Every structure is written in C-alpha cells, then in structure tokens.
Amino acid sequence: MPASSPYNALLARVPVARRAHDGAQARTAYWEYGDAAAPVTILAVHGFRGDHHGLEPVVAHLPEVRWIMPDLPGFGETPALASGAHDLATYAAWLREFAAAVAPGAVVLGHSFGSIVAAGAVADGLDTPRLILVNPIGAPALEGPRGVLTRLAVAYYAASAWLPRRLGSWLLRSRAIVRVMSIVMAYTRDRTLRRFIHDQHDRYFSLFSDRDTLRQAFVTSVANDVRASAPRIAQPTLLIAAVQDDITPIAAERRLATLFPDARLVEIDGVGHLIHYEKPAEAADAIREFLGA
C-alpha cells in the first residue's frame, strides 16, 4: 500500500495535465502544473533515477507558478534517446530543444543530476531569464564525504553491466538495494516523512528504460558537476543547498557560488540531499523570493 504523502492536500489544489512532445530523438513525456496563464513558468529537471514526481512537493508549495516537468530521457515515461548516447552534451541538447519547443522563456530549475543537465544546457545557450539549482552537484561525487559509497555505486553499476542482461537488470531494480539508497539519502527522523520518501523511491527509482541507458546516465552523473558550466552562465542564478548534504558538502557549494558571474546561495539547515522531499516549503520560499527579485 502506498505511503501517504504529507503534501497531498496542497498538491491536490494544483491542476495538472500530462502531455508529450515529439522531439528529434524521443517522445518526451511531461506534466504541466498550475495555471497556464501564470506570469512565470518554471521548467524543472529531476534527479538521477527519479522522474517528475520527485519535485511535486515543491510544486505543491509554489502553486502560483506554472510548472513544466518532463521525465528525463531513459527515465519514467520518456524512452531512451534514439542515438543511444546519454552523456552530458546529449542531455543538454535534448533540454535545449525541449525548452525551445514547449517552454520558451521559462525559468530553468534542476535538482541534483538535473542541476548538471540544466546548467550545461544554459551554458550552451538555452534561453532563460534565470536559473535555479537545488542540491546542485558542485564538486566531483568521488570527492564528497561519502566518496566510499560513491565508489561502491560505481562497482554496483559496473557489475550490473557485466552480468547477463536479465540478471543485471534484476540487480538494478532490486528493492533491497533501492531501499538502502533511500535510507542513506534520507536525513529526516520524522517516521511519516521517511515512509513517504522510501515509498517514492520504491515506486519510481526503477522506472528506467534499460540498464545500458541507466549506466550511461550514472557515468554522466559522477563524471560531471556544475563547476565547468558556472562561469559561462550570465543569467542570475539561485543555488539552494543543504547544510548536511553529503554528496556535495556545503563548503563546496559556497565555492561553487563564487564561480557564477551572478549567483546567490541559500543554505537550508537540517536536511541532506533530499531538499525536495524534506524541506520543500523552504525551497519554495527561496524560489519565490528569487523570482520576485
């Protein structure tokens, strides 16, 4: 039985419609939340192994904005790209094409792995007035406080690729391993919220298209970070970082903010890498103030 979401009542008040866009390399599934006539549209890019559901708690706390939320190619309801390549350049090109067709002029937001894709796309010319990065990947994952766990993840994905396809795919979708990932990432001690987070990961973390695409996306996530794109982003940028994030430490996020020509950093205490689940109200407040400015 699915765990109850603490954000259901708020989210229920936001209209939502599923749509699709036929792009050059994939039919991208996306969801439109809020009033189509809203003065501001945010194009939001989710994190690794998730899909658009992960950012819904932030949507619930920012209903005055129109949200466009696609599933990344190879995740959720969007198939892998026709080229078969899922590196940063290809993801960024996909996002530029999707934004131009579906959400021209939208503010761009990226969470975690989505921060790498969003920053890369904007640095390469995606037309947006502002950029928002939540839990941005501001340093190499292998150098973070949990670099050992990252190395274990590298071995896990390598083993999944080496094993026979059926066995490797089973390993990637193992509920036990997904639960371990969820336990490691969750910071909150609130039992109801933890149940919700684990349920979200149980339901959506294994909806990737195939193991080859997943491995490529994982390699992209650990081989890149936002630092390379930051100096080439002229737009005002908001970084929403977690003080207890052990994927990118807060000290690295503070250094990252200095690499942008125009960036402000909002630090949220009492949360790790799951701001979108554990502190969505605080994230929404920071976004609202940034947009108002």
Side-chain angles (χ1 to χ4, degrees):
M1 180 178 178
S4 176
S5 168
Y7 311 115
N8 272 344
L10 291 174
L11 189 62
R13 299 185 297 179
V14 182
V16 58
R18 184 196 182 281
R19 308 192 189 284
H21 166 65
D22 289 314
Q25 290 207 54
R27 182 175 175 83
T28 300
Y30 71 95
W31 285 256
E32 181 177 356
Y33 297 81
D35 186 352
V40 175
T41 295
I42 294 178
L43 168 57
V45 186
H46 64 78
F48 179 67
R49 282 194 72 149
D51 66 7
H52 70 282
H53 289 94
L55 290 168
E56 284 187 335
V58 183
V59 171
H61 287 88
L62 207 59
E64 67 269 30
V65 168
R66 173 182 176 241
W67 294 81
I68 300 295
M69 304 215 305
D71 283 349
L72 278 166
F75 297 93
E77 296 185 29
T78 300
L81 295 170
S83 67
H86 293 81
D87 54 19
L88 179 55
T90 310
Y91 272 122
W94 162 82
L95 184 59
R96 293 197 307 274
E97 188 274 336
F98 178 83
V102 176
V107 173
V108 175
L109 179 151
H111 172 257
S112 189
F113 176 54
S115 74
I116 301 173
V117 175
V122 173
D124 287 345
L126 192 160
D127 185 18
T128 180
R130 292 172 183 265
L131 175 64
I132 301 167
L133 304 178
V134 183
N135 286 122
I137 306 300
L142 291 172
E143 296 178 8
R146 293 196 173 179
V148 172
L149 288 179
T150 303
R151 288 179 174 82
L152 288 175
V154 170
Y156 165 67
Y157 285 103
S160 300
W162 176 80
L163 290 168
R165 182 171 298 274
R166 189 170 181 178
L167 182 56
S169 297
W170 171 85
L171 181 63
L172 289 169
R173 291 186 166 94
S174 165
R175 289 180 65 88
I177 293 177
V178 168
R179 178 55 58 90
V180 169
M181 294 178 189
S182 188
I183 290 170
V184 167
M185 287 190 292
Y187 185 85
T188 180
R189 299 295 93 185
D190 183 295
R191 291 184 179 181
T192 299
L193 185 54
R194 287 183 73 86
R195 281 196 296 270
F196 167 67
I197 291 169
H198 296 333
D199 179 68
Q200 289 281 291
H201 290 149
D202 286 346
R203 294 168 68 184
Y204 304 122
F205 246 42
S206 295
L207 297 183
F208 54 88
S209 60
D210 61 272
R211 69 170 184 172
D212 295 333
T213 298
L214 181 64
R215 174 161 170 73
Q216 287 186 58
F218 173 74
V219 170
T220 299
S221 74
V222 297
N224 298 276
D225 59 71
V226 176
R227 293 176 305 169
S229 299
R232 298 186 290 128
I233 296 173
Q235 291 89 336
T237 300
L238 172 65
L239 308 179
I240 304 177
V243 174
Q244 286 78 25
D245 194 338
D246 47 18
I247 291 181
T248 299
I250 193 63
E253 302 286 32
R254 292 166 183 161
R255 289 193 296 271
L256 175 64
T258 68
L259 301 180
F260 288 86
D262 181 4
R264 67 179 69 177
L265 172 65
V266 172
E267 300 181 13
I268 301 181
D269 200 4
V271 65
H273 199 65
L274 302 181
I275 286 176
H276 58 310
Y277 283 141
E278 299 184 25
K279 298 283 186 176
E282 291 83 346
D285 287 342
I287 293 169
R288 185 178 290 111
E289 181 179 353
F290 179 64
L291 297 179

